[in-house]
Amino acid sequence: MPLLLGHRGAPRLARENTLGSLLLALEKGMDGVELDVQMTRDKVLVVHHDFALEDRPFSAWASWELPPHIPRLEEVLGALEGAYVNIELKSIPPSDGREAVLVELLSRFSLDRIWVSSFDPFALLRLRRLNPRISLGFLLEAKEGFDLLPCLGVDWVHPQAGLLTEEKARALKRTHKLAVWTVNDPVWIKQMADWGVDAVITDLAGFL
């Protein structure tokens, strides 16, 4: 079976991207979690999906101003020690320096079960330059994204599930680890396993 990663934790049981939801995903049998990371004005990485909170961009918030349900990434990684963690770094070019902040933070943790993914190829290139030991994954939701893979030097490719066929999965597996998002049908998860997918990101923590 592929690794089962709770998409933002256990979103059907608890508020997504909260520490409680992420821990609950593990309690419900997930091998790990996928979570989203933003950076505040004072350069603290926090776990949240959207680029704005209450119509105010995260770049305008100081970390101490945030509501308590938004955890710091450092706190989350400490609590999830031993689990597989896919960190999706939210990024819009040009860079605000979040890659360097993330690399410094990750230097304090074991990288054996942690990897960083992003839709932003420039962020991935910066991360690779800053620390080539960090496993990286390219997120894509359009088939044209596959053409960028040879340029990025990433370890993982993360296609949206609808982009994948058995032939494509087996071809990608020759050069990359493969994580697919977001798969919420147990039959489709089994199909992904048959195709040799390494990880499946799912909302179904607690329902599998």
Side-chain angles (χ1 to χ4, degrees):
M1 277 292 288
L3 296 174
L4 295 178
L5 304 181
H7 183 222
R8 308 175 195 168
R12 298 193 178 182
L13 298 173
R15 189 172 192 165
E16 67 177 37
N17 274 328
T18 60
L19 182 55
S21 183
L22 297 164
L23 290 171
L24 185 58
L26 302 183
E27 291 176 20
K28 295 299 182 180
M30 296 289 103
D31 300 296
V33 296
E34 180 270 353
L35 53 83
D36 305 290
V37 169
Q38 301 282 359
M39 190 169 76
T40 62
R41 185 179 74 230
D42 52 327
K43 298 191 180 302
V44 173
L45 297 172
V46 296
V47 180
H48 194 77
H49 178 268
D50 297 343
F51 283 91
L53 177 68
E54 299 174 2
D55 297 321
R56 182 182 174 194
F58 266 85
S59 58
W61 287 89
S63 57
W64 62 84
E65 298 175 316
L66 295 173
H69 71 268
I70 299 179
R72 295 186 177 207
L73 178 61
E74 183 174 17
E75 173 192 11
V76 167
L77 292 179
L80 298 179
E81 187 175 0
Y84 292 91
V85 181
N86 169 213
I87 299 168
E88 181 185 339
L89 183 64
K90 296 295 187 180
S91 175
I92 299 177
S95 175
D96 57 3
R98 64 184 58 201
E99 298 89 358
V101 176
L102 178 58
V103 166
E104 193 284 323
L105 189 156
L106 290 180
S107 70
R108 293 176 246 147
F109 293 91
S110 169
L111 298 175
D112 292 345
R113 296 190 172 191
I114 295 173
W115 72 98
V116 180
S117 61
S118 181
F119 284 102
D120 181 356
F122 298 105
L124 294 170
L125 290 170
R126 283 187 287 268
L127 287 164
R128 175 63 72 214
R129 184 177 68 248
L130 288 164
N131 186 348
R133 291 183 55 247
I134 298 173
S135 291
L136 301 177
F138 183 40
L139 277 154
L140 52 126
E141 55 186 346
K143 62 182 180 180
E144 291 79 9
F146 291 119
D147 296 335
L148 290 176
L149 285 173
C151 309
L152 298 178
V154 295
D155 310 282
W156 289 80
V157 55
H158 289 216
Q160 192 273 336
L163 298 178
L164 211 58
T165 63
E166 181 175 6
E167 181 182 14
K168 190 67 175 176
R170 297 196 184 282
L172 290 168
K173 279 287 296 171
R174 288 197 284 268
T175 52
H176 294 81
K177 293 180 180 180
L178 183 56
V180 182
W181 57 277
T182 300
V183 187
N184 291 328
D185 181 342
V187 174
W188 192 226
I189 292 175
K190 184 181 184 305
Q191 183 69 80
M192 295 289 109
D194 292 342
W195 291 355
V197 165
D198 296 283
V200 172
I201 298 168
T202 180
D203 293 327
L204 296 181
F207 297 91
L208 291 173

